[in-house]
Amino acid sequence: MRYPSTAFLLLSLCSAPLWGQSTRGAPPTPTPVPGVPRPVPRATAPAQARPLPPIKLEDEWTTALIKRDTRTFDRLLAPNFVYTEDASVMSRSDVIKSVTGSDRVEWARNEGMRTHDFGDVHVITGVLHLRGKGKQGSFDRRYQFTDTWQRRNDRWQIIAAQDYLIPK
């Protein structure tokens, strides 16, 4: 008598999970585990929404010189931007004021630019060639430059620049 009751008990225990699976319906919604961040898929920005690399922004600088466009300089120059030309040091506001100064740039281009990539900082070297008119008549100048750009709030801004007037 002892064996039939043990067999019945084993049969009952083994069939219980099968009975539960056949009658429960749809599986329950999983409960999120608190404190464990769930990865959020990031949409890829369209190509036109991505920030231009600093080497392309250098060309915006030359175009802004010709157009006397202070708004472009306001966007490109970081708040604490510092500029050195030969023996003088200028602040961000000094540089923006100089764009509309007495010298009028009529033609500008960058030559031989090279990017030195340090991650969120790029140093660009090259030559800026300018032609125009000033107080003393026409000019044709070439400057060896070193510009330092930093990625700030998902855009590039120039934080420091140094120009050296190349003697003729």
Side-chain angles (χ1 to χ4, degrees), residues 68-157:
R68 301 168 74 92
D69 178 7
T70 57
R71 291 179 69 179
T72 296
F73 283 93
D74 190 51
R75 177 176 47 87
L76 294 178
L77 305 182
N80 294 325
F81 172 78
V82 62
Y83 174 72
T84 305
E85 182 181 326
D86 299 328
S88 64
V89 177
M90 295 171 31
S91 69
R92 178 183 194 275
S93 61
D94 294 334
V95 171
I96 292 173
K97 278 186 225 166
S98 74
V99 171
T100 57
S102 60
D103 283 359
R104 176 104 188 163
V105 176
E106 297 170 343
W107 178 89
R109 82 169 180 201
N110 292 308
E111 303 167 347
M113 288 191 298
R114 292 187 57 202
T115 298
H116 309 272
D117 186 345
F118 299 93
D120 281 345
V121 172
H122 285 189
V123 175
I124 299 180
T125 57
V127 172
L128 172 61
H129 191 170
L130 303 174
R131 292 185 188 141
K133 292 187 172 102
K135 290 179 183 176
Q136 298 173 351
S138 295
F139 61 82
D140 185 345
R141 300 177 188 144
R142 297 179 76 226
Y143 293 90
Q144 178 67 51
F145 70 85
T146 301
D147 292 346
T148 305
W149 296 82
Q150 181 181 33
R151 190 180 354 241
R152 305 163 58 105
N153 300 322
D154 212 23
R155 68 182 180 136
W156 289 97
Q157 286 191 306

